[in-house]
Amino acid sequence: MPFALFPLMLCVFSVGSAELVVAGVLPAIAGDLDVSLSDAGLLVTAYALGVVVLGPLVTLATSRVPRTPLLLGLMGLFTASNVLAALAPTYAVLMAARVLSAITHCTLFAVCIVVAGSLAEKGKEASAVSRVAVGLNLATVLGVPLGVLLEEHFGWRSAFWSIAGLSLVALALVAWRPPVAPVPVAGGAVDELRVLRNRTVQIAILLTALAMAGVFTAYTFVNPILTSMGGFAPSTVSWLLLLVGCGSLIGNLIGGKLADRALMPSLVGVLAVLGADLALMALGGDLPWLLLILLVVFGAAYFAVMPGLQARILTAAGGGAPTLAIAINIGAFNIGIAFGAWFGGQLLGLDYGLRTVIAASALLSWIAMTVAVGELRKDRHAVRGAAAPAPAEPAPVPASPVPTPPVPATADASSD
């Protein structure tokens, strides 16, 4: 990985860990702060709402701030929010710290992605985005388990202290080796809003929400899928999820390279594989060995689609101001996740069972694939239209000859 991308990846890893680790330490937080588990769960809900609602507003408000100072300011605020969370004496203070952290989340992710794309060679943007997005993979595979491990030995506050320390390292690296020149960005709020009128950007955001809904309708219930459906012992779930995480790391890097070569065809292909994998899981998930293979493929396909979704926004925004579009796209990730979790829960509440939940997940993935196919056809039609030669102008028809009267000759000779 180029060193210029490493601080960005570390920023993403810190933010991703802060978002996800709370779910693993909720019981400890509830017991220590003397609140119910359901009230503690609102820490997750408030964070997600902060990302979706407040994130784009922060991005819009900071649209003309130079990228390096913006990164430094956001990482400083993010670090402070985690210090506040680690010190929080009450539930209300911890909630305030989580909302403060959520305010930085959306814009931090968006700026890291835009900067990574700007540092890449033309045609290599998706690979650069995928390298930065490795931080999110690592947050899932390492950040959350390490946070839970720290909580078990040193209490839940140690998880937030560790994230604050890691964020401080990322902040120092950005300050030491800024990934971009400290000059003002070209676009402002009007330019950012104008990009959102682009139909391709709008469809790309819809595609992100559909794809994430397809993933999380099933993935939200991966624990009961492994134990109740696959028959694995509960004590093995963390190790099995580590295997899924390894698949996601591989898928993320492969997805970036595929998107660089053929963006929309690769999105169509990966979404097709994701839907087929989930359909097979619904049919044969009661076979433990098959379920494990399908879950690893699922993790790879899930993260293979992410660089393409972000690269689609970057290319659709063109050379304009894509940061707000990226921020809203990150919000679309969260909306898709929230809808998928809700939809899967509703199906289970109606006693349809895990197989139906997984089948619904496959259907949503294929709906996303259909949208991607429509965009692929539109792109190819636009390319053919641009490449078609302009119709030749008809040759001018020669005008009918008009007889001209004879010019009378002039005689200079004198008469005889």
Side-chain angles (χ1 to χ4, degrees):
M1 175 185 292
F3 183 81
L5 296 179
F6 180 74
L8 302 176
M9 185 274 288
L10 202 58
C11 290
V12 170
F13 174 67
S14 302
V15 176
S17 297
E19 178 186 19
L20 299 172
V21 76
V22 172
V25 299
L26 274 183
I29 291 174
D32 186 46
L33 298 181
D34 195 24
V35 296
S36 67
L37 193 59
S38 61
D39 284 343
L42 292 176
L43 295 168
V44 178
T45 305
Y47 192 99
L49 288 174
V51 171
V52 174
V53 177
L54 300 177
L57 296 178
V58 173
T59 303
L60 194 60
T62 58
S63 59
R64 294 197 65 84
V65 178
R67 302 297 89 173
T68 297
L70 181 57
L71 271 175
L72 291 172
L74 290 171
M75 282 305 296
L77 184 59
F78 174 76
T79 303
S81 71
N82 283 282
V83 171
L84 181 61
L87 294 172
T90 65
Y91 173 77
V93 174
L94 181 57
M95 177 65 77
R98 292 297 291 166
V99 172
L100 189 63
S101 182
I103 288 173
T104 68
H105 178 113
C106 207
T107 308
L108 263 172
F109 264 87
V111 172
C112 287
I113 289 168
V114 171
V115 170
S118 69
L119 292 174
E121 300 176 16
K122 187 172 179 58
K124 301 288 185 181
E125 293 87 354
S127 289
V129 169
S130 71
R131 290 189 178 99
V132 171
V134 163
L136 189 57
N137 295 92
L138 293 175
T140 306
V141 177
L142 296 177
V144 176
L146 287 176
V148 173
L149 188 65
L150 285 170
E151 181 270 320
E152 290 175 354
H153 290 84
F154 306 105
W156 64 268
R157 296 176 189 275
S158 64
F160 288 103
W161 280 120
S162 65
I163 292 170
L166 190 64
S167 304
L168 199 58
V169 173
L171 178 64
L173 287 176
V174 172
W176 176 51
R177 293 283 295 273
V180 288
V183 295
V185 294
V190 174
D191 298 306
E192 295 282 0
L193 289 169
R194 187 179 295 119
V195 168
L196 295 179
R197 296 170 58 187
N198 185 325
R199 179 191 172 277
T200 304
V201 170
Q202 295 169 358
I203 297 298
I205 292 170
L206 172 64
L207 182 58
T208 295
L210 284 172
M212 290 304 100
V215 167
F216 277 87
T217 297
Y219 189 65
T220 302
F221 307 98
V222 66
N223 195 314
I225 287 172
L226 282 167
T227 55
S228 300
M229 190 171 169
F232 290 100
S235 59
T236 65
V237 169
S238 58
W239 294 104
L240 296 176
L241 290 180
L242 184 61
L243 285 177
V244 177
C246 291
S248 72
L249 281 171
I250 296 170
N252 184 62
L253 297 176
I254 292 175
K257 294 184 180 299
L258 288 175
D260 280 338
R261 292 185 178 182
L263 177 53
M264 290 312 298
S266 70
L267 274 176
V268 170
V270 172
L271 287 168
V273 169
L274 181 62
D277 181 80
L278 287 162
L280 286 173
M281 198 184 299
L283 293 172
D286 52 346
L287 298 174
W289 62 270
L290 179 59
L291 177 61
L292 190 56
I293 292 172
L294 292 173
L295 278 173
V296 172
V297 174
F298 170 82
Y302 162 32
F303 272 91
V305 80
M306 292 179 69
L309 292 172
Q310 301 290 15
R312 180 64 173 175
I313 291 286
L314 285 173
T315 55
T323 313
L324 180 60
I326 289 285
I328 292 178
N329 200 45
I330 292 167
F333 273 96
N334 285 272
I335 290 171
I337 290 168
F339 175 81
W342 172 84
F343 184 46
Q346 291 296 305
L347 292 175
L348 286 178
L350 294 172
D351 293 327
Y352 282 112
L354 289 170
R355 290 183 188 274
T356 302
V357 169
I358 299 170
S361 196
L363 180 60
L364 285 169
S365 299
W366 280 331
I367 291 173
M369 181 199 69
T370 303
V371 173
V373 168
E375 290 299 282
L376 174 60
R377 288 177 176 172
K378 180 178 70 69
D379 289 354
R380 286 179 173 173
H381 180 74
V383 169
R384 282 196 297 267
E393 295 183 2
V397 179
S400 301
V402 178
T404 56
V407 179
T410 56
D412 295 331
S414 55
S415 52
D416 294 336

